[in-house]
Amino acid sequence: MTRPGLPKLIATDLDGTLVRSDDTVSAYTHGVLDRVRAAGIPVVGATGRGPRLSELTRNDIRAADFLVMAGGGWVVDQSDPSGPVVLRDERLPAEVLARLLADLEAEVGPLTVMVEASDEHDAPLWGDYHESWPYQDRFEARTRDECLASDVIKAFARTADHHVDELLEVARQIVPPHVATLTQAGLGFVEICPPGVDKATGLTVVAQTLGVDPADVLVFGDMPNDLPMFGWAGWSRVAVANAHPALRAVADEVTLRNDDDGVAVYLDRLLSR
């Protein structure tokens, strides 16, 4: 439940939460986040985006002291005057991913698979072309063998016959948590991350660095990949109105839609009360 006073740390998802449907963040939102930082509260961008999109992410949440990226597998401290410091960098071994995909395909049939293998700026995803993937400008067709030639930051998988929530449920019955973390972020693909990687474990790195108790953390989100941080944070868990039903079900509060600057409106009221 919401606590009195102000939280000691604020973390927000980006796409679908802070970022609007036209891929922009309003000047109003940037201004409110600047006020949050001026009040002495560190801001964290917690996103499924991989490190290859760090520059885009910094632009979307310019006030962030820390970035929790790749669903928690890549954590960066941006507050160091000497430059960004990587605090966490987790990878999923290629042989583990290959085995996992084989087990999953034996159950559900052929998968469309993409991998995020590189942390270089604007590097493309590799794998099977699918017309539904929204970021075709950062995609390169590669064979499965090429995709599994090295360890990956994250993999994405879908089938033609399963809704993403259904595929996620089936995949979790086949793939144990000690092998990989499975989730979905609203892109129509199950996301396959290294074991122990989620937004909660990524934020734990930040909280420990700052000496902040999870009970003093306020979080915002919209999709199932935000569920772990909603279970972890204790000051308040706030879903935007356009959030997935699973997230709304566990939220303490619901703010306006991302397109109506719901995060900023909530924070503006919080700072003004």
Side-chain angles (χ1 to χ4, degrees), residues 118-266:
S118 174
D119 56 23
E120 293 183 3
H121 172 64
D122 266 355
L125 295 184
W126 298 341
D128 304 320
Y129 168 77
H130 197 279
E131 66 277 0
S132 72
W133 183 250
Y135 310 112
Q136 297 291 340
D137 58 326
R138 295 188 180 98
F139 171 80
E140 184 177 309
R142 295 275 187 107
T143 67
R144 183 74 61 88
D145 286 345
E146 288 175 313
C147 290
L148 297 175
S150 62
D151 299 345
V152 303
I153 298 166
K154 185 196 289 190
F156 302 81
R158 67 171 292 152
T159 73
D161 302 323
H162 297 75
H163 183 274
V164 63
D165 287 330
E166 181 187 1
L167 180 59
L168 179 59
E169 184 177 347
V170 172
R172 283 177 170 165
Q173 294 171 4
I174 296 169
V175 181
H178 70 269
V179 172
T181 298
L182 305 177
T183 189
Q184 73 101 342
L187 295 171
F189 287 72
V190 168
E191 301 193 2
I192 305 166
C193 300
V197 165
D198 58 40
K199 291 188 181 183
T201 59
L203 284 170
T204 295
V205 174
V206 175
Q208 290 176 345
T209 300
L210 295 174
V212 172
D213 192 297
D216 296 317
V217 181
L218 163 64
V219 294
F220 297 89
D222 76 316
M223 278 291 156
N225 67 332
D226 296 315
L227 285 168
M229 73 174 181
F230 268 48
W232 173 85
W235 196 87
S236 191
R237 291 71 63 95
V238 183
V240 286
N242 52 288
H244 189 284
L247 200 73
R248 288 180 61 114
V250 300
D252 297 313
E253 303 173 78
V254 176
T255 187
L256 299 175
R257 296 173 57 86
N258 64 321
D259 287 340
D260 297 321
D261 296 330
V263 173
V265 169
Y266 181 98

Side-chain angles (χ1 to χ4, degrees), residues 13-210:
D13 172 58
L14 297 184
D15 299 301
T17 302
L18 192 77
V19 179
R20 298 179 295 190
S21 299
D22 63 358
D23 295 329
T24 66
V25 177
S26 70
Y28 167 64
T29 293
H30 284 304
V32 171
L33 290 175
D34 287 340
R35 287 174 55 210
V36 169
R37 287 194 74 237
I41 306 170
V43 175
V44 184
T47 177
R49 299 176 185 178
R52 66 199 178 91
L53 301 177
S54 293
E55 185 175 312
L56 173 66
T57 302
R58 292 187 183 106
N59 184 62
D60 283 343
I61 185 164
R62 297 194 291 261
D65 301 277
F66 293 82
L67 296 178
V68 171
M69 302 188 70
W74 181 278
V75 180
V76 182
D77 179 356
Q78 302 195 121
S79 64
D80 193 311
S82 62
V85 178
V86 177
L87 303 178
R88 188 187 201 193
D89 180 3
E90 300 286 344
R91 308 285 169 131
L92 184 64
E95 62 272 16
V96 172
L97 179 57
R99 228 171 20 247
L100 179 163
L101 293 174
D103 291 345
L104 192 51
E105 287 189 316
E107 180 69 24
V108 303
L111 292 167
T112 296
V113 175
M114 300 183 299
V115 300
E116 186 162 5
S118 174
D119 56 23
E120 293 183 3
H121 172 64
D122 266 355
L125 295 184
W126 298 341
D128 304 320
Y129 168 77
H130 197 279
E131 66 277 0
S132 72
W133 183 250
Y135 310 112
Q136 297 291 340
D137 58 326
R138 295 188 180 98
F139 171 80
E140 184 177 309
R142 295 275 187 107
T143 67
R144 183 74 61 88
D145 286 345
E146 288 175 313
C147 290
L148 297 175
S150 62
D151 299 345
V152 303
I153 298 166
K154 185 196 289 190
F156 302 81
R158 67 171 292 152
T159 73
D161 302 323
H162 297 75
H163 183 274
V164 63
D165 287 330
E166 181 187 1
L167 180 59
L168 179 59
E169 184 177 347
V170 172
R172 283 177 170 165
Q173 294 171 4
I174 296 169
V175 181
H178 70 269
V179 172
T181 298
L182 305 177
T183 189
Q184 73 101 342
L187 295 171
F189 287 72
V190 168
E191 301 193 2
I192 305 166
C193 300
V197 165
D198 58 40
K199 291 188 181 183
T201 59
L203 284 170
T204 295
V205 174
V206 175
Q208 290 176 345
T209 300
L210 295 174

